[in-house]
Amino acid sequence: MKYGFFDDAAREYVITRPDTPYPWINYLGCDDFFGLFSNTSGGYCFYRDAKMLRLTRYRYNNAPADIGGRYFYLKDTPAVGDTPTADLSLDSGVGVGSDIGACGGNMNIWSPQWQPMKSQLDSYECRHGLGYSKISSAKNGLEFSQTSFVPRGDTCEIHKIVLKNTTSAAKNIDMFSYVEFCLWNAQDDMTNFQRNFSIGEVEVHDSAIYHKTEYRERRNHYAVWAVNTPIVGFDTDRESFLGLYNGTNAPDVVLSGASKNSIAHGWSPIGSHHIKAELAPGEAREFVFVLGYCENPEAEKWESLHVINKSPAKALLEKYATSEAADRALAELQAYWRELLSIFTVESVFSSAFAKTSSRASSGDTAEESTDYKKMARMAGVWNQYQCMVTFNMSRSASYFESGIGRGMGFRDSNQDLLGFVHLVPQRARARILDIAATQLPDGSAYHQYQPLTKRGNNEIGSGFNDDPLWLILGVAAYIKETGDFSILDEQVPFDNDETLADSLFAHLKRSFDFTVNNKGPHGLPLIGRADWNDCLNLNCFSSTPGESFQTTANFESGIAESVLIAAIFAFVAPDYIEICRRTGRIEEAAYALSELGKIQKAIDSHGWDGNWFLRAYDAHGKKIGSHECEDGKIFIESNGFSVMAGIGLDDGRAEKALNSVRDWLETPYGIVLQQPAYQKYHLELGEISSYPPGYKENAGIFCHNNPWVTIAETRLGRGIRAFETYKKICPTYREDDSALRRMEPYVYCQMIAGKDAARHGEGKNSWLTGTAAWTFTSISQYILGIRPEYDGLRIDPCIPADMTSFTIMRKFRGTLYEITVDNSAGVEKGVRHITLDGEKINGNLLPAKATDSEATSNAAGGDIDGMNNSNEKPCKVTVVMG
Ligand code: BGC
Ligand code: NOJ
């Protein structure tokens, strides 16, 4: 069942009914200010840090779901003589198409966004676009539209509202706005009621409501919620607006039609405007609402005693005082995204499996664009990269599954996320790398997480995840391959945020590399520490106390538990480390690294192979994990995908055997599960992995992040059909028709899909903030379509299904725009016969970079918009003939 459709031309997902199987959200904001925005305007916004500086309140895990947002209520007052139909009973309607209910079904008062009244609307649509969303609905002859976004460079949400009378009679409309303020620290806000109920403070001035809780003491910032039109009333006290025993689905003020002009003193401050709009037949009126964050310098906090200095707010409101200004800001935002996504786009994909009639097929083509491949093009070209930018901005902090108060920036997560956006915002990626590296500890290990505001390592979690350091090599190598900017290696970067311990970024890479070299166990494989990539394989934890954190508990120090996955990650990143050493003249270090790589490869060969697949680990007693000898957990995905990615077993058939075993044991119609058989019992010696019910999360769920490792591994075997099959299974657009089961947004990847042991096999969870975004983009762009940045240029090495007869990619790389057309009329899965660049044949399959390193660096660093250059230039034409 579908709940909408992709409007590919507009790059929007259009939701056609409000009662989606889960709230389907979008992210507003690109820089410092962000909003989570659901298809019924639910969600919240924050400045830079979702925990510390949250502007509006949101109740996670609420029933009903997704209550709390930027709401508008409409009241259509009948002309004198008409019978009012207001029915104040508290039942709500059940949604579009249903007539049940009072407020919801009421003809005179409704929620044009459907929530929170669940109003029965005559029409409804929500378009989630890149950085903005639009909700449109109609009822009672009144059209409503809301366009919401965060303008570039400003710290506010804009909500442009249009009301249009489509009847032939005049209408008297009352519109009430509603937001509920969060008292800044979101954790405190939902726990410390003995204090919070006494501290809320507001001011109201003209049409602006100011939320200034804690401003008198240590804060120098406040929020403003304003509209560019005179108001007839307002409310700032939640209880006055709603009534103590009412929900947002039946606010007293809206039902009675009159604001109370309440001023909040403690309790819960809110912001509500009351606007009266008389609309002649056919008339439309526009309103610009701004929800903003403002700061004052310490010395200029006050206008007078208890009166805040409103000048930054006034400047902000002045800037967006007209619809035209709001429209312009939206157009700028759209241009930003257009430019950004022009760096990598999939222009067309043709397939021989389809009819020969396409008008778009160029002459001589006997194929047409297949729906299957079009779906891939829309994901790879637009939505997957969009999600990568969201993971860049959010890491794992704020989604509808991450509460925004818990996890900081992950060391391993942030490094892997880089793979998905380094081509889009190289300069910001560079800064991110330096931030991450500064939290590394002097012995090469790393704080597992750091806080975005302080950029300091997070002591509560500490270090001890022994895979962490290696991901820094992955991230830095990806940055250099994209930009050619080796100068990043010379940047002086602190250890543990301590400037006195600063050394070059290269020195950080060396300590990362050496950390693995120096921390090996009895089989010469890397010690796992608290866990490796799989946070739930806690082999030194031995926790039997309820509530104890699996992530931080160390009741046992074995010095024995080893990870084959870390060995494989090492084998995957070591060639980059070696290459970086060679290219920077560190010849001896390169030789040393090569010999260490050899040792690890040997250890995997001798102790990491189980006969038909790669082992996963050794536990603290030296017992195998992920072996046919085990009762449960005989085979795992991670060590198999990564070992083959690292090239292990390619020459002796083990790689093929391993991937065939993965296919036979782990593959399902919805993706590849993490291991089999699922653990049925809790294992003290394994930790959290065995705590999950079979089929969920790391216990044999489809943990999507590691599926693209298998896809990439398949391309190393040259199996293009298999690679594409594994790619498709977790790709959301292919499951759009199955949304009732999958439940998550059809335009984004989720972290986890319930595995075959689960009661709800195929159901997705944890959409948006997942390393799946970066790795799937890497798998499709670099390994299937095969456009792969390397130190000297772009490697062109597709590995595709044989029926993909041709495709065209636009790719900007180090300042040059390439139009790359791959001709696979030969019908192969892999292999490049020859390439021409602007008509000239080149040697091999590497497109040499045109810019020198330093030009590339200034390209990467320069320009108004990060990563963009020469947007109107003529592309260099590249023709690739496979065969
Ligand atoms: C989850 C992991 C996650 C870890 C750290 C565990 O409960 O299963 O996926 O990485 O928590 O937050
Ligand atoms: C989610 C975490 O963010 C990531 O760091 C980890 O690798 C996976 N869970 C697997 O446990």
Side-chain angles (χ1 to χ4, degrees), residues 204-262:
V204 181
H205 196 253
D206 296 333
S207 300
I209 294 167
Y210 297 88
H211 173 232
K212 59 171 188 178
T213 301
E214 289 193 344
Y215 186 79
R216 263 180 316 100
E217 30 134 334
R218 292 155 297 172
R219 295 186 184 276
N220 66 339
H221 52 85
Y222 56 80
V224 60
W225 173 226
V227 58
N228 66 342
T229 199
I231 56 176
V232 296
F234 62 85
D235 277 285
T236 66
D237 171 55
R238 189 181 75 197
E239 201 172 314
S240 306
F241 180 77
L242 295 178
L244 181 58
Y245 294 104
N246 288 1
T248 44
N249 62 332
D252 265 356
V253 159
V254 178
L255 298 185
S256 69
S259 291
K260 295 181 184 160
N261 298 346
S262 59

Side-chain angles (χ1 to χ4, degrees), residues 686-758:
L686 299 180
E688 188 169 0
I689 189 167
S690 60
S691 76
Y692 285 113
Y696 289 99
K697 293 281 282 182
E698 281 88 343
N699 189 12
I702 298 157
F703 210 96
C704 299
H705 184 140
N706 50 40
N707 277 231
W709 298 346
V710 172
T711 305
I712 295 170
E714 289 287 2
T715 66
R716 294 224 55 178
L717 287 182
R719 304 202 295 198
I721 296 173
R722 282 288 304 144
F724 198 71
E725 261 169 25
T726 57
Y727 167 78
K728 262 173 67 173
K729 284 194 171 169
I730 60 160
C731 185
T733 177
Y734 292 97
R735 288 199 55 203
E736 194 188 3
D737 291 344
D738 187 23
S739 288
L741 173 61
R742 186 175 179 275
R743 299 188 68 193
M744 299 296 111
E745 298 91 336
Y747 41 92
V748 284
Y749 287 91
C750 29
Q751 183 214 53
M752 203 271 311
I753 296 170
K756 56 186 171 184
D757 304 281

Side-chain angles (χ1 to χ4, degrees), residues 523-751:
H523 300 95
L525 292 163
L527 289 170
I528 197 167
R530 286 193 191 164
D532 59 24
W533 172 88
N534 188 333
D535 276 328
C536 299
L537 209 50
N538 315 119
L539 305 184
N540 295 309
C541 178
F542 288 79
S543 174
S544 55
T545 308
E548 206 166 51
S549 161
F550 285 108
Q551 305 295 308
T552 54
T553 302
N555 290 323
F556 192 89
E557 286 305 334
S558 66
I560 288 180
E562 296 169 296
S563 162
V564 177
L565 176 61
I566 300 183
I569 299 171
F570 184 89
F572 185 75
V573 302
D576 274 322
Y577 181 66
I578 293 165
E579 197 57 30
I580 286 171
C581 290
R582 285 195 184 128
R583 283 166 185 266
T584 54
R586 296 171 168 101
I587 304 304
E588 267 176 36
E589 181 66 13
Y592 149 79
L594 187 63
S595 81
E596 290 302 331
L597 170 60
K599 288 183 202 163
I600 284 277
Q601 284 166 332
K602 214 161 152 227
I604 300 177
D605 289 346
S606 324
H607 303 291
W609 179 249
D610 193 53
N612 285 305
W613 55 78
F614 291 95
L615 280 176
R616 179 62 177 83
Y618 287 90
D619 74 14
H621 306 297
K623 248 184 83 194
K624 291 175 183 167
I625 297 174
S627 160
H628 68 284
E629 295 166 16
C630 305
E631 189 188 349
D632 289 331
K634 287 176 190 292
I635 170 169
F636 280 66
I637 186 173
E638 307 106 304
S639 48
N640 285 292
F642 234 102
S643 294
V644 180
M645 271 168 72
I648 296 168
L650 281 178
D651 47 1
D652 58 14
R654 280 178 304 155
E656 196 174 345
K657 240 185 194 173
L659 294 191
N660 288 347
S661 299
V662 165
R663 180 193 61 206
D664 298 344
W665 282 76
L666 304 179
E667 196 157 305
T668 80
Y670 306 120
I672 305 167
V673 299
L674 195 144
Q675 94 275 17
Q676 278 293 294
Y679 292 109
Q680 300 297 326
K681 292 180 278 200
Y682 176 61
H683 290 254
L684 197 61
E685 77 287 7
L686 299 180
E688 188 169 0
I689 189 167
S690 60
S691 76
Y692 285 113
Y696 289 99
K697 293 281 282 182
E698 281 88 343
N699 189 12
I702 298 157
F703 210 96
C704 299
H705 184 140
N706 50 40
N707 277 231
W709 298 346
V710 172
T711 305
I712 295 170
E714 289 287 2
T715 66
R716 294 224 55 178
L717 287 182
R719 304 202 295 198
I721 296 173
R722 282 288 304 144
F724 198 71
E725 261 169 25
T726 57
Y727 167 78
K728 262 173 67 173
K729 284 194 171 169
I730 60 160
C731 185
T733 177
Y734 292 97
R735 288 199 55 203
E736 194 188 3
D737 291 344
D738 187 23
S739 288
L741 173 61
R742 186 175 179 275
R743 299 188 68 193
M744 299 296 111
E745 298 91 336
Y747 41 92
V748 284
Y749 287 91
C750 29
Q751 183 214 53

